[in-house]
Amino acid sequence: MTVPAPRRRTGPRPPAGDRPAGYHCVPRAGVTLAALCLVAATAGAAPRAPAAPTGCGDLANGRLCLHGPVGAAGRYTTTYRRREAGPAALFSVRLGYQRKNARITAFPGWFGTRRLRYGSVSLGSRVDMLPDECIRGVMERDRTVFVTKWSCA
């Protein structure tokens, strides 16, 4: 016994009332429009990225950042990245941090001095920080001090 092949309709589609139950036709443009609306709604609901990361500062020739668990004791790292890492980028910098609270701004604490390598340098250490304190990164080069934005918990 053989089963005949299903018949294909070659003519125009039957009116909506003549279609079998469960048969739905959605135009491709409608599906595409619904997908685009979903993507736009998702993008609109996402939080906006800050203009600059917290704890960083843009300098004339690079970017200075401080990373660590703000408002808690832990390991903090100050990083300087130069935009152009050419032969002019062979110099030493002193990297550290500075803390403050509502009463006092402390003197900078230094992680040490290091020479730039491939246009960047990074130094860090453990810092005992209280929950009500703010902290920022500090860099010194040729007796000129550069700082990042304050980061507070």
Side-chain angles (χ1 to χ4, degrees):
M1 177 174 182
T2 60
V3 178
R7 292 186 185 171
R8 292 193 171 229
R9 295 185 182 190
T10 57
R13 292 186 175 206
D18 294 343
R19 292 186 184 152
Y23 180 84
H24 298 285
C25 178
V26 178
R28 285 189 180 152
V31 173
T32 304
L33 181 63
L36 288 175
C37 288
L38 181 63
V39 169
T42 304
R48 302 279 184 243
T54 305
C56 289
D58 287 323
L59 307 177
N61 290 321
R63 186 176 191 91
L64 179 65
C65 293
L66 176 77
H67 302 284
V70 176
R75 181 167 176 78
Y76 287 83
T77 305
T78 304
T79 304
Y80 173 64
R81 287 206 164 100
R82 212 169 145 82
R83 285 192 181 84
E84 298 174 9
L90 298 175
F91 54 86
S92 294
V93 294
R94 188 176 180 193
L95 296 175
Y97 64 94
Q98 186 177 19
R99 299 180 326 185
K100 77 170 185 172
N101 62 16
R103 296 175 301 143
I104 189 168
T105 300
F107 289 108
W110 299 104
F111 296 134
T113 303
R114 187 167 285 170
R115 192 171 193 84
L116 268 74
R117 185 173 181 138
Y118 302 110
S120 70
V121 63
S122 181
L123 285 170
S125 183
R126 179 172 172 76
V127 176
D128 293 323
M129 188 174 164
L130 300 174
D132 67 334
E133 290 181 319
C134 298
I135 191 167
R136 69 179 174 184
V138 179
M139 178 180 79
E140 183 181 52
R141 178 181 179 223
D142 299 331
R143 296 187 180 175
T144 303
V145 177
F146 304 92
V147 296
T148 66
K149 297 177 183 179
W150 286 104
S151 296
C152 302

